[in-house]
């Protein structure tokens, strides 16, 4: 059913998953111990029902269809895997390394989105 949506609608859904996942992970400081798929889904559900303009464009009968929910769960898993699998850029690595040397820290990051979080954290500590 997800595949039957317009390309713009699928793109909007994907963006909302990506943004909400990255915001959720930042809120838990990218801690695997604090991660809960249920908490993330609750955050995403709140976002789509209160802020997402695309949500009202999905027919109500589709919203309650179990097949649509399965398709959506699969898309969520794909997006999360893509976010977690995208490596940090060379620029991010270099900038983080310089700041960590200045602050004598050793924060770890495994993907581009987590590197954005770490870079922001370090900049805040340096007052940049």
């Amino acid at each position: 059913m997800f595949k039957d949506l317009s390309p713009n609608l699928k793109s909007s859904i994907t963006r909302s998953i990506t943004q909400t996942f990255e915001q959720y992970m930042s809120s838990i400081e990218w801690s695997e111990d604090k991660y809960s798929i249920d908490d993330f889904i609750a955050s995403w559900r709140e976002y789509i029902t209160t802020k997402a303009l695309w949500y009202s464009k999905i027919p109500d009968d589709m919203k309650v269809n179990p097949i649509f929910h399965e398709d959506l769960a699969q898309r969520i898993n794909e997006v999360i895997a893509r976010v977690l699998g995208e490596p940090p850029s060379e620029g991010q690595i270099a900038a983080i390394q310089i700041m960590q040397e200045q602050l004598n820290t050793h924060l770890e990051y495994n993907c581009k989105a987590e590197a954005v979080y770490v870079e922001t954290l370090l900049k805040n500590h340096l007052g940049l």
Side-chain angles (χ1 to χ4, degrees):
M1 293 187 89
F2 183 81
K3 67 181 182 320
D4 297 331
L5 298 173
S6 73
N8 287 342
L9 197 50
K10 288 189 284 191
S11 178
S12 294
I13 291 170
T14 299
R15 267 194 314 277
S16 72
I17 295 167
T18 302
Q19 290 171 343
T20 306
F21 179 71
E22 290 176 1
Q23 289 170 356
Y24 169 74
M25 292 305 292
S26 290
S27 76
I28 62 167
E29 301 171 329
W30 282 83
S31 169
E32 291 178 30
D33 295 336
K34 295 178 185 176
Y35 178 77
S36 162
I37 187 69
D38 293 332
D39 290 346
F40 162 65
I41 295 296
S43 297
W44 187 66
R45 184 176 295 124
E46 180 180 339
Y47 172 81
I48 65 171
T49 57
T50 62
K51 298 177 184 166
L53 300 175
W54 57 263
Y55 188 69
S56 62
K57 295 177 184 172
I58 296 178
D60 289 338
D61 61 329
M62 186 179 280
K63 290 177 188 173
V64 297
N65 189 311
I67 295 171
F68 179 69
H69 284 269
E70 288 175 22
D71 290 350
L72 206 48
Q74 181 179 347
R75 185 68 188 144
I76 289 169
N77 289 336
E78 290 168 356
V79 170
I80 290 172
R82 181 184 47 78
V83 168
L84 296 176
E86 187 174 1
S89 70
E90 290 182 19
Q92 285 178 304
I93 294 168
I96 290 171
Q97 184 174 352
I98 290 168
M99 289 186 282
Q100 292 213 78
E101 287 172 5
Q102 291 173 339
L103 293 167
N104 195 29
T105 60
H106 304 286
L107 301 175
E108 293 184 18
Y109 51 96
N110 296 307
C111 66
K112 186 173 189 168
E114 188 175 13
V116 169
Y117 169 77
V118 169
E119 193 170 5
T120 301
L121 191 67
L122 295 171
K123 283 179 180 178
N124 288 341
H125 282 302
L126 289 170
L128 302 176

